[in-house]
Amino acid sequence: MLDYETLRIVWWLLLGALLIGFAVMDGFDLGVAALLRVLARDDDERRALLETIEPVWEGNQVWLILGAGAVFAAWPLLYAAAFSGFYFAMLVLLLAFIVRPVGFNFRNKLTDPRWRETWDRILTIAGLIPALIFGVAFGNLFLGVPFRYDETLRMSYEGGFLGLLRPFPLLVGLVSVALLLMHGAAWAAVKADEVIARRAEHLLRSLSFAFVALYVAAGVWLAFGVTGYAIDGGIAAGGPSNPLLKEVAHSGGWLGNGPLGNWACVAAGIAILAALAAPRLSVRRRHASAFVASAFAVAGTITSAGFALFPFLLPSSLDPRSSLTVWDASSSRTTLGLMLLVTAVLLPIVIGYTTWVYRVLRGRVSLEHVKQSHGMY
């Protein structure tokens, strides 16, 4: 079995991979839902656009379940602190996830335009809210979350939902919204009817530039306006999971003093280049390549945040020593090792099945198909 320090790093990488998998796979259907009333002009077009995501959205959320399960089992202290601190935000997030399938199922039950318009608005909001909340959550990680541990490792949280809505996290939330809208437009250009796809192509350019501008602004703010944390002195990378056994000091910034700060800048550069490449590829009718570029932009954005924070998982604004890191928030070595064996068996199955599903469902959803099936609803 791998040593404890290596297992912790492996699970940090796996957590990042699961977050990227969720953002790439579920991000585009959130983006499509948010753009429903922008890309589609009438009821047939909206039905056609929704049909590009209806067969796959539920499978895409497997990545969210895997990520939450990994946090619960591999990082129990992180799970407890994050779910306590972001409780109301997660409740809003879950409500948005709940109304999406309801909207998919009930939108076409009645032909009344007001009924369908209402559900279209609900689906649009349900696509925007998760994108915003995920970004705000990431932004708060860099500022620190108001929690602390006492000497018996009992955690207390001293914040509220409104306290999370600070200027920098809101900016990061807008970065997330622009990113997933861009990803959704790239998917619509690949999968939707040609009429809708052409609109998505034009919108993709604007969304790409908006994402890059917001992302650069957030990066500049992070580099020069946000104080980072650094572990003061040594830490037992293979030691017990007790966050109070270390000392944490304020540093000049997350990007400058972090051990992976330079790699965070590299990942950010990849995200920017990929986002700028997506609309160029789409205009050249290379829609699949544009979607891949958009996926790289999503992956690069999340990777840059993870690298900038490393080794911190959840910094504390009340007591920096209580901050959770890769070295002091994990489960036991045995638990991490057994979970790694299970993951090595099940994750390839999930990836293989997902690949097969998308291969079976390849091709555009045409307006002609939707109009022919109109009598079925």
Side-chain angles (χ1 to χ4, degrees), residues 49-356:
L49 187 56
L50 287 175
E51 284 195 21
T52 66
I53 59 175
E54 284 179 351
V56 298
W57 73 268
E58 196 167 17
N60 291 341
Q61 287 197 340
V62 168
W63 293 94
L64 176 63
I65 297 170
L66 290 174
V71 173
F72 174 78
W75 310 99
L77 294 180
L78 173 63
Y79 181 88
F83 274 68
S84 297
F86 298 141
Y87 183 83
F88 188 78
M90 290 187 177
L91 177 62
V92 174
L93 180 66
L94 288 175
L95 289 175
F97 281 143
I98 289 170
V99 299
R100 273 206 307 168
V102 176
F104 291 147
N105 289 327
F106 282 89
R107 180 192 182 276
N108 297 323
K109 296 298 183 182
L110 298 177
T111 58
D112 185 352
R114 291 174 299 178
W115 171 270
R116 294 188 173 184
E117 179 68 20
T118 298
W119 282 112
D120 289 343
R121 292 179 183 275
I122 291 174
L123 287 171
T124 299
I125 295 172
L128 287 171
I129 286 178
L132 180 64
I133 288 179
F134 286 130
V136 169
F138 264 99
N140 275 282
L141 294 183
F142 290 103
L143 298 182
V145 180
F147 74 97
R148 61 158 57 95
Y149 290 98
D150 63 18
E151 295 304 320
T152 62
L153 290 183
R154 289 185 300 180
M155 191 203 72
S156 60
Y157 182 82
E158 300 180 15
F161 177 71
L162 294 180
L164 301 176
L165 305 179
R166 293 172 283 181
F168 178 73
L170 286 174
L171 175 59
V172 179
L174 293 178
V175 172
S176 176
V177 170
L179 176 63
L180 295 190
L181 289 180
M182 178 188 72
H183 199 40
W187 175 257
V190 173
K191 192 72 176 173
D193 185 89
E194 288 286 353
V195 173
I196 302 173
R198 284 194 293 271
R199 295 188 197 125
E201 288 177 14
H202 295 301
L203 187 60
L204 184 59
R205 178 181 296 273
S206 299
L207 291 172
S208 171
F209 290 150
F211 161 69
V212 170
L214 291 168
Y215 187 48
V216 170
V220 171
W221 192 337
L222 181 65
F224 300 103
V226 177
T227 301
Y229 289 178
I231 296 177
D232 190 11
I235 186 171
S241 291
N242 184 342
L244 300 183
L245 296 180
K246 66 179 182 302
E247 295 295 330
V248 175
H250 292 284
S251 67
W254 289 106
L255 298 178
N257 294 337
L260 298 180
N262 292 334
W263 286 106
C265 294
V266 172
I270 292 173
I272 291 172
L273 292 175
L276 293 176
R280 294 177 179 271
L281 292 168
S282 185
V283 168
R284 296 174 184 174
R285 314 297 293 174
R286 297 171 61 184
H287 296 127
S289 297
F291 180 74
V292 172
S294 176
F296 268 96
V298 173
T301 302
I302 295 176
T303 301
S304 66
F307 282 174
L309 285 167
F310 185 84
F312 291 89
L313 297 172
L314 190 68
S316 169
S317 60
L318 296 181
D319 176 22
R321 191 167 69 117
S322 295
S323 299
L324 301 177
T325 72
V326 173
W327 313 124
D328 55 28
S330 73
S331 295
S332 67
R333 178 188 177 190
T334 301
T335 299
L336 295 183
L338 290 175
M339 286 179 57
L340 185 59
L341 292 176
V342 173
T343 302
V345 174
L346 295 182
L347 189 58
I349 296 175
V350 172
I351 294 174
Y353 174 75
T354 301
T355 303
W356 176 78

